[in-house]
Every structure is written in C-alpha cells, then in structure tokens.
Amino acid sequence: MAKVSKTNAMRILDKEKIPYEIKTYEYDESDLSGVTAAEKMGVDPNTIFKTLLLKDEKQNPMVCVIPVNQEISLKTLASQSGCKKCEMVHLKELLGLTGYIRGGCSPIGMKKLYPTFVESSALSLSQIGVSGGKRGIQILLSPQDLIKITNAKTFDNK
C-alpha cells in the first residue's frame, strides 16, 4: 500500500488514541458508490458505511451513517432523532458545512460536531469502515469508537 497522507479524521483518531486501520482503493469519479468501494477492497458491503449529511425542519445539519447498500429512510430518521422531518443537504453545501467532498465525507472531523446517528446494525460488527476524509481511503474502526468520537446515537433504519 502506498503511503497515505494523514487526513483530519486520522489526526483526530490519533489524538484520541483510538485504534484504526486504513484501507485504500482506486476510485472512479463516475462511480463513487460505497458498494463499488467495498467490492474494490474485497470486503462485505454490510461492513462499509456511508456518511450522509441532512438537515432537519429548522435547517440544522445532522449526520447519518448507514451501510453503503442501504437507502436512508428519512421518516424513520426524523422520528428516531426527534425532529419533524429531515432531508438530504444539497451537494453544493457539503464542502462548506463539513470540509469534505462527495465520496470523501467522513463522519469524523467535520468542521463542526453535528448530531450524528449511526445505523444500529453497526453494533453487531467488530469493525466497520467509514470514509477516511478523502476519496479512495477508508478508516476501519470499532463501531463503539466511532460512536464515541462522534458523540453519536444509534437508530434503526427500517
């Protein structure tokens, strides 16, 4: 594996002494899907989680982390997060709100610590992958450590 320069997410994990592994893969601008990333890394897509940025009815950002092979249930997330409704943030807002670009948005190390919700299936796994903060980089860590570092709550995306 080529040497990977540290991302903000990695620096935060290092500072907090949270163990993690890095997995890299070749990405294609035309297909930034997490399922494709999982296939390229040779791992089960149920263990790789994507980071979604949403806004509640008051336009407050919130972060959702779900397996790459799932679609978010906006009604379920709204209900379980205590807001009336939520919607995806427009792509043009992503960089300004998080400091990350599409395909490289990590739940760790955003510009602000937004309310974060991790899909509960993560708890049944010893390790999950999330974006490392750049396209082509995944951070593998325990779901409990991800929840701790992001101050997240779990939810059932059903």
Side-chain angles (χ1 to χ4, degrees):
M1 178 175 84
K3 180 155 172 54
V4 175
S5 59
K6 293 273 183 184
T7 64
N8 196 36
M10 293 174 206
R11 285 189 285 276
I12 289 169
L13 292 171
D14 289 344
K15 182 180 175 220
E16 297 298 320
K17 297 183 176 18
I18 293 176
Y20 65 94
E21 295 174 40
I22 300 168
K23 255 201 180 308
T24 60
Y25 60 95
E26 291 294 321
Y27 68 90
D28 178 349
E29 295 272 342
S30 67
D31 182 4
L32 296 173
S33 87
V35 173
T36 299
E39 287 171 1
K40 288 185 175 189
M41 292 184 291
V43 299
D44 181 348
N46 291 307
T47 66
I48 303 298
F49 284 61
K50 60 187 170 186
T51 304
L52 304 174
L53 189 66
L54 303 100
K55 284 187 178 177
D56 66 15
E57 72 276 3
K58 296 177 183 169
Q59 300 302 300
N60 296 316
M62 53 197 289
V63 178
C64 179
V65 182
I66 63 172
V68 295
N69 55 3
Q70 286 187 15
E71 294 293 321
I72 183 67
S73 168
L74 297 174
K75 284 184 178 182
T76 300
L77 179 61
S79 168
Q80 293 185 37
S81 67
C83 61
K84 291 180 183 161
K85 68 174 191 161
C86 57
E87 62 186 15
M88 295 293 295
V89 165
H90 291 287
L91 186 56
K92 65 182 182 207
E93 297 177 81
L94 185 65
L95 180 61
L97 288 169
T98 66
Y100 293 124
I101 60 171
R102 179 177 165 260
C105 186
S106 179
I108 305 164
M110 290 186 180
K111 287 183 173 184
K112 293 183 178 177
L113 186 59
Y114 299 118
T116 302
F117 300 89
V118 175
E119 210 285 321
S120 60
S121 65
L123 297 175
S124 67
L125 302 168
S126 60
Q127 190 177 60
I128 62 170
V130 296
S131 174
K134 287 185 180 172
R135 290 176 179 166
I137 300 174
Q138 288 284 307
I139 291 175
L140 306 177
L141 74 168
S142 82
Q144 291 81 5
D145 284 340
L146 176 65
I147 289 166
K148 177 179 150 189
I149 198 75
T150 59
N151 198 25
K153 295 181 173 130
T154 58
F155 81 107
D156 294 316
N157 186 39
K158 305 220 179 337

